Every structure is written in structure tokens, then in C-alpha cells.
Amino acid sequence: MAKMEVKTSLLDDMIGVGDMVLLEPLTEDSFINNLKKRFDHNEVYTYIGSVVISINPYRSLPIYTPEKVEEYRNRNFYELSPHIFALSDEAYRSLRDQDKDQCILITGESGAGKTEASKLVMSYVAAVCGKGAEVNQVKEQLLQSNPVLEAFGNAKTVRNDNSSRFGKYMDIEFDFKGDPLGGVISNYLLEKSRVVKQPRGERNFHIFYQILSGASEDFLCKLKLERDFSRYNYLGLDSAKVNGVDDAANFRTVRNAMQIVGFMDHETQSVFEVVAAVLKLGNIEFKPESRVNGLDESKIKDKNELKEICELTGIDQSVLERAFSFRTVEAKQEKVSTTLNVAQAYYARDALAKNLYSRLFSWLVTRINESIKAQTKVRKKVMGVLDIYGFEIFEDNSFEQFIINYCNEKLQQIFIELTLKEEQEEYIREGIEWTHIEYFNNAIICDLIENNQTGILAMLDEECLRPGTVTDDTFLEKLNQVCATHQHFESRMSKCSRFLNDTSLPHSCFRIQHYAGKVMYQVEGFVDKNNDLLYRDLSQAMWKASHSLIKALFPEGNPAKINLKRPPTAGSQFKASVATLMKNLQTKNPNYIRCIKPNDKKAAHIFNDALVCHQIRYLGLLENVRVRRAGYAFKQAYEPCLERYKMLCKQTWPHWRGPARAGVEVLFNELEIPEEEFSFGRSKIFIRNPRTLFKLEDLRKQRLEDLATLIEKIYRGWKCRTRFLLMKKSQIVIASWYRRYAQQKKYQKIKSSAIIVQSYIRGWKARKLLRELKHQKRCNEAATIIAAYWHGTQARRELKRLKEEARRKHAVAVIWAYWLGLKVRREYRKFFRANAGRKIYEFTLQRLMQKYFLEMKNKMPSLSPIDKNWPARPYLFLDSTHKELKRIFHLWRCKKYRDQFTDQQKLIYEEKLEASELFKDKKALYPASVGQPFQGAYLEISKNPKYKKLKDAVDEKIIIAEVVNKINRANGKATSRIFLLTKNNVLLADQKSGNIKSEVPLGDVTKVSMSSQNDGFFAVHLKESSEAAGKGDFLLSSDHLIEMATKLYRTTLSQTKQKLNIEISDEFLVQFRQDKVCVKFIQGSQKNGSIPTCKRKNNRLLEVAVP
């Protein structure tokens, strides 16, 4: 588009038809051809009224830049070319300005670009809403939730390298200004079967490959993993590497996104440990064994993998091994334990892996919701974004495709209902008569699937719950009996005889006539996938894990909460989720994005007509156009309509002074458009047939050409007149400048002639004067030369006389000097021998010292204070000097080294020196703390929203924040507490809730006691008369004992001006309420390795065993 050209309507410079409602004639071929024409010109977006059709270009296009965002910001929906930004802006402005909750429904098959479309919607909303530190943080968390969910919920398929294998609905919450406050994510039907098995040419979920590619060697070692993909049975090797995908870089992106969203380090570690456990579960293999009673049972071939899984999850190896070999069935008061054969053991293993990963994914969604949920309780506006699977028709369709297509049937039903409702409401609002529209209502298909008595899902649940032998074939027989007469159900074994000869329908299949076409489903696996059973033994084994996350994922494994009720089936759960989703969508204003995949090769510039036709049919796009066109094909407000077409009527051109509606009426009457082709609403003009609109556009185009010709004529006349006036003005200027130039030339010629005459006269006069001056000069020079010669002769005679006289005087002086020298030497000879030795000694000593210092200058050691090198002493008499120089040099370089320290480093070294004075050679734990920097704030209280309540309660600066174990007075067991040290107080708070349990002023702390051994136990003694001493002293355990004791000592000294007593003894007394208990430290072997344990021996003794 030219720089000065401004686009004011969708119809300007339109490639093909930008809105399919205006397509004429409306056929399937014309629909596809229009899409192809626009796709070939890089126009990937097309409208159907307010619905956006998005075709995946499989390449980057320059249409998502910040400039494009500003171009579509606060613009009318039909003002610019079709774009996803236009729909996003319309939804956002309706939410912000009209208080209407919005939802954006994105549908399409895998690889059509649904996930990218949802990202574009969120990025646009983030770009146009408010700014500010808090708002930006919320926007960043909402955007960064995508990489986390994609890593755990997306996978490479034959159709898409980043296919979403779950449905996602996100509610973004806004305040009254339109600024985001937070969000809530709901997930639907994760394809957990992919964890244990992937079709050929496809991969498992991204996170498995990202960990193995991007994690460091140390991190992999902690997770007990190896980088080689071939080591794991759950990873398909034929597509392990994907072109253009950097799994290592994506892993770093995921870890960074988890940190931004708000995951703590230990939570991230726990998540990756669960992923590693799932990966290693696939390597467990079983072998058959026969028991004495003749029953077959299974045994694990190699228990090394099982051992590593148990170490990762904290499960007793024998418990998990038994859960893989036996199954316990409970009925009322009876328990029956049966062995599992090899096939059943593999089923149990895969069921555990699927459940573990599926529950982990649900936990991730819940955890993200905790971080991104709105913190305020004010009334919120909501924009929902639904990114869910499209209608699926494969060669082999199973239970997953059945419930996905059921979901799409419900979405199609609500789409038709809301579209008709929207059209009807606008007609009523504008005062236009509403006529009933005939359309296919797919409620009969939804009822076939979801009816509570005769629906397919109800029949499937009934078959799963029925006692006796239940198979997929018995389920199909039941369907043949109940649904045989339904017009949208087909089966080879049904009572309808017309299907008996249909060889395209196998015996183990049934077919449903969906709104998008017929789909044949294979019943194999329907019952198992709907049951989704996990043996109770495995649930209980998981609950016994010491791994906190795994234990939380299996609450039903708690023996105290055994529920003999059968868990709800997968079908009933999904049906309830879809019902909740439909109810939610009906409360919001819908906006639709229909995504289309142009080809199966994931290549740019390729448009497969057959594939696009298939998608158009099952998305119901033609029916959508027909619903939109059932009344009036085009509608527009009076003001923009008059502004666009006013040049077609002399009365309205160039300006109309009256109301816009009156101007449109005058315009249409002038153009003689039949009255049946349009209707006047209260604020809009409604045009029935697209031909009428195109006629207006043709007339406008012709009129614009005429106006352009007129403008060009006027412009050319103006240009010629301007050029003539300019040439006339230029001629006058040139003439005046020429006359001036001619006069200047004449004057210059006269002036130059006068100057030449003057120069000749001056030259003659000058030459005459020069001749006279030369004659006078020659006379003066002759007299001067004669005088000079005479003066020279006289001077040479006088010089000769003076030289002779000086020679005689010099001879006398020399003789006298020699005589005086002789006399002095005779006098000095008798003193020379007595003083010569001392002088020579002093001179020699001076030369040796000079040589010593020069050599020291060249042999000086480095300026490092720890450098022990020093040059050897060259002479014995310099021994004391040599040592003193070494001492002075060491002090000087130490001072130079200290001068480099910042104030923070000086404070750290002061604390380290204080710790050395307090604990060196006294506490066995001290040497290990020397190399560890004192950090103080080990808990990020200010950053972690979990501790917001604790942060608000503490006004002072926190010197140290650490999780410690508080020893129970009764039994010696440990309870986690948050230890906080401020300038004036010591606080203990609950780790989970952040509530402050105890607060002790530093003045009430009298002493700190600890053992001399390698343990972290210490006791804080309180004044007996103080308020905090009601429950007695504190007995605590910490991994940073040296640092905590040092900081407590220094803080107490700074505030109270009194030194805190540090007692180091293997036995000391602790006051517990009214009793004094002796704490005794002994050496002993531990079951837990190197962790000390504390036991209460009697009322007066608490014994701590240190390894």
C-alpha cells in the first residue's frame, strides 16, 4: 500500500472477497477458490461476518509486528483487512467499554494453527492493555504459562510438530480499567495413552526429550537418567529428533517460564523427578513364573530400574514390587489377593505411568492457577480463550476420537444457537422483522451420544458397571439393541437390514452421522479406556511414598480414607466437563476463530483443495455463511455508509448537512435501488443481496475514477499556472541581474585602464629616485671600508701585546700552584695511613647494601597475601634487616589487598572472623562452613507469594531466614519451622501457613548451647522471667548452624551491647516448661545415613545420636 494511502473499509483493494457473506455465487467451489486466491496473496485471514477463518501459512509473515498492533488498535472490525488482531481488539473493547464478558473459541484439526492463534490473541491483549510493574508481572505470568503447558501437554504428531494433546480453556480476568488481574486455566482430556505408546512417526510429550537434551550431567545424575533416548522404552526412536526444534533450548525456556510463573526450586525439582520416574517405569520388564498351585504369576526381570524408581520417589522397594505382582480386591469386610500374570503386570505398569503423568499435568495446571489467579476480590471482567481439538476423522478412530467429536458436536450446537441469537437480537434492536431460518440442528446427534438413558455414553457406563463378562463386543451388541433405529447410527449387526451388505463397515465397528460427516469407530478399547482403572495396590504404594508431590497425587491411596465406591468413568467425567464448559460459554459473548490446514506436508505456498474442502465441511463453514446470509448479507452504520458512498449523489457530495440516515435515504433513492433490496434500521442500513453491495462498489469505483480525473485536471491547471508565474518572475530577476552584471563589467574595464596609467607614472618616478639613492650609497660605503681597515690594524697590534703579557702572568701562576701542591702533600702523607681502612670499609659496606636492595627490587614476590615465597638472604650480617623487610612487605600487601574489599565483603569477612573466634577447634562442624558463604536469606520471602502474610507481619529488616527443625519436647520428633532473625527479635513461624508461632526479643536470649560434634542441633536459652519463656527454651536443628549462631551473636552484641554466651558441650540442660532436661550427644550408627536422630529416653534425658 502506498505511504499516503489510508484504508477505511474492508472493501478497499480487496483480494477476492474478504467477507464470505458477500461471496456470490455461494458454492463450495467458489468458497475454496476465494480462500486459495487470498492464500496465494499472503492473505491468510478471511471473515464470515464476525467469524475469522485462519489458514496456517507454515512460515513467518510480517503481519504481527508492533506497528500492526497499533494499526488495529481501537479500529472498527470491518475497517481494515481481515486479521486476528481485529477480532481480538473487538473482544477486548467490548469487555472494557461495555462490561460484556467475552470468550474466543479456536477450533480446527491438528496442525491448523490453533495454539499459535491463542498465543496471538493473548499477546495482542497484553500489548494493548495497561502498563505498570504489577500489570506487567501479571501479563508475563499469563504469557509464560504457555511454554510450561506446551512442554508437558504437546507432542510431535504426523500432522503437527507441536500438536496440543489436551484441550485448554483460559479465563483472563480484568479490572474495571481493562488491566489484567490474573487468570484461571481448565484442561480437558489429556491424551495420556501417548505416555506408553505412540503411533509410528510420532513422539511422546516434549518434556521427556527436553530433559534428556537440555539438562546438565549433574542434573541427569540426580534424576538417575542417561542422555541416550534409546535407553527408554516409552520413547519412540524413529522421530526422536525434529528438524528445526532445539529441545535443549526449549528446556531452558521451560525452566525460566516455571520460575516466572512462580514455581519454587523444590517444586520444579519434584516435577522433574516425577517425569523421570514415569520415563523409567517403561524400562521395567516382567517374566512369567509358575506357582505350586498352578497359577501363573509375574516377576520383575531386572530390579535395578525398580530400585532407582524407588529412590527417586521414596517408596519402599518391596511395597512397589508386590503392587506389580499382586492385586487386592476389597468387598465390604473381605479382601481377596490374586496374582498378576505378565500381561496384567504390563497393564498395571502402563496404567500407573499414565495416571502418574496425567495427575502430574493436572497438578501443574492447578499450581499455575494458584500463581496467576487474581489476588483481589473486586468484581472482574472475564475473557475466555478456548483452544481445543477440532473434529477428527482418522483411518482408525477409537474412544479418544469419539469423545473429541462429541465435544465438537456440542460446540457446533452452541455456535449455531449463539450465532442465530446474535443475528436475531441485532434485528430486534434495529427494528428489522425477523424471519425464521431453516438450518440443521445437531441436537439429535448430541442426544444420541449424551442421553442419560439411551445415549452411547450411558450405555458404555452401564456396560462397564455390569457384573459378569464385559467386553467391547458386548458393548457393541448393546448399542445394536438400543440405537438400531436411530437415523444417525449405523452398525453391521444392527436390526436395520440395509447395512448387512455394507462391506465398508466391519463387524467390530459402528458409524455415526455427525454434522461434519460420517465417522466409523472401532469399539476395541472402548471399555478399558472408559474404565481407566488403576489397581488400588498401586494407589496405596504411591501414597506411601516419602516424595511429597507423588503422595499428594494419590489421595485415594490413604488407608484411612478407603472408598469402595467405583470411581467415575472417563466418559462421564468428560461429559460433565463439557457440560460445565457449555454453561460457561453461554454466559459470555462468543468470538470464533476457525483454523484450517492448507496441506499435510507442513510446507509453505501449497494449497490442497481436497484437504481444505474436507475441513470446510466438518467445520460447517458453508452452513455458517448461509445462516449469516439468511436475512441480510451486509449491514453497516449510517455514518460510515454515507461517508463511503456520498460521492454517488450530487445532493450528498461533497458534504451532507443533515442526519446520516436521511442522507443514506436520499442516496439510495437517487441510485434507484429496489426497496426490497434494503431496509433501514435504527442505526444501520441492511442490504439483502451481495450483488447490490458490489453494484454500489462498482459505481463508487467509477465515480472515484471520474473524481480522480477532475482532481487531476484541476491539479494540472494549477501546476501550469504556477509554472508560468514562476517563469515570469524568473525572467524579471534574470534581466535585472544581467543589467547589473554589464554595468559592473564596464566599470571594471575603466578602473583597470586608470590603474595601468598610474602604475607607469609611479614606475618612472621610482626608478629615477632609485638611481640617485644608489650613487649616494656607493660614496658612503667607500668611506666606511677605509675606516674599517685602519681600525683593524690598530686592534691587532694591541691584541698581540696583551697576549704576550698574559703568557708571562700564567707561567708565574703555574709555578706557584705546583709549589703549594708539593707542600700540602708533604703535610698530608703522615695522616693518610691511619684513616684509609675505615673509609674503605664504609665504602664497601655501602656498595653491598646498594647491591642487596637492587637485587631485592628484581626478586620481589607477588602481591597475594597467601604467597609464602621470599628471596634468600645473601649475607649473614643482613639477617635482621631481611626479616624486618619481609614483615613490612607482608603487612603492606595485606593492606593493599584489604583496600580492594567492598563494604559488603568486609562485613562477610568480619562475620567469618567472628565465627573463627567462636568455633575454631571447638565445634567439629566449623571446618565445613569455612568455604560456604553466609547468605542469610535462604528463603525468598519477598518473592514467594506463599509467604506474603509473613512478610506483611515483619516490619524490620530480616537478617537471616531459614527453615529449621524444632524438636518436640515430648518425643524428640522434628517439626519444620521458619527461623527469622531481625535487628530486635527472633521469630519462629509455621512453614506451610506462614503464621508466627513465637516471637522473642533479643534481650530475652541469655545463651546458645550446642555440642562439639558434627551436628546442627542448638538450644536457645531464654530468661526465666521473660514472657516468651512460658513454654521453655527452644531446641532446634539447622543445616547452617555456624552462620545462624554467628549472626545471632553479632546482632545481640550490636543491640544489647552485651556478648551472648556460646556454650559448646556434649551435655547441657534445657528448660522445658517447669522441667529441666539434659540433652546428651552420643556417637552411633544411623538408619538414615548421616542424619542425627533425637530420642526422649526419660523425663530428664534427651539423647541425640550423631553418626
Side-chain angles (χ1 to χ4, degrees), residues 422-430 635 684 686:
E422 181 184 355
E423 289 283 319
Q424 185 176 7
E425 286 178 352
E426 184 171 22
Y427 278 40
I428 295 172
R429 188 168 57 247
E430 293 292 331
K635 47 189 174 291
K684 295 180 181 180
F686 288 75

Side-chain angles (χ1 to χ4, degrees), residues 218-330:
D218 291 341
F219 192 64
L220 287 178
C221 185
K222 289 180 182 178
L223 298 180
K224 305 186 184 303
L225 296 176
E226 298 178 20
R227 207 173 292 281
D228 184 10
F229 294 159
S230 62
R231 287 275 293 107
Y232 304 101
N233 296 333
Y234 280 167
L235 300 184
L237 298 180
D238 54 341
S239 300
K241 294 290 184 181
V242 180
N243 294 332
V245 176
D246 187 348
D247 288 320
N250 290 341
F251 179 70
R252 292 189 290 271
T253 301
V254 170
R255 296 202 68 169
N256 182 56
M258 292 178 77
Q259 186 177 5
I260 292 174
V261 170
F263 283 81
M264 303 300 292
D265 290 342
H266 70 274
E267 291 178 325
T268 304
Q269 178 71 21
S270 298
V271 168
F272 290 134
E273 286 173 352
V274 174
V275 173
V278 171
L279 202 54
K280 296 183 76 63
L281 273 173
N283 291 351
I284 295 179
E285 297 182 348
F286 302 93
K287 59 183 179 181
E289 281 193 6
S290 297
R291 303 182 69 182
V292 178
N293 56 8
L295 295 176
D296 290 337
E297 66 175 10
S298 61
K299 291 291 182 182
I300 296 175
K301 289 183 180 179
D302 183 5
K303 296 184 180 180
N304 186 48
E305 294 284 354
L306 182 67
K307 178 183 176 183
E308 292 183 349
I309 293 172
C310 292
E311 290 174 356
L312 273 174
T313 58
I315 302 174
D316 189 299
Q317 183 174 344
S318 60
V319 173
L320 188 57
E321 184 176 1
R322 176 175 175 78
F324 279 134
S325 302
F326 293 88
R327 179 188 178 189
T328 303
V329 180
E330 297 184 25

Side-chain angles (χ1 to χ4, degrees), residues 1 163 178 435 853 1105:
M1 188 180 292
S163 176
T435 56
F853 283 116

Side-chain angles (χ1 to χ4, degrees), residues 465-499:
L465 298 174
R466 180 176 63 81
T469 303
V470 177
T471 64
D472 296 320
D473 293 333
T474 60
F475 164 62
L476 182 59
E477 290 176 6
K478 189 162 194 129
L479 288 184
N480 291 334
Q481 296 172 5
V482 177
C483 306
T485 58
H486 198 286
Q487 58 181 335
H488 291 273
F489 177 85
E490 300 176 7
S491 170
R492 181 141 181 163
M493 301 301 295
S494 67
K495 295 179 181 179
C496 218
S497 60
R498 68 178 183 276
F499 300 129

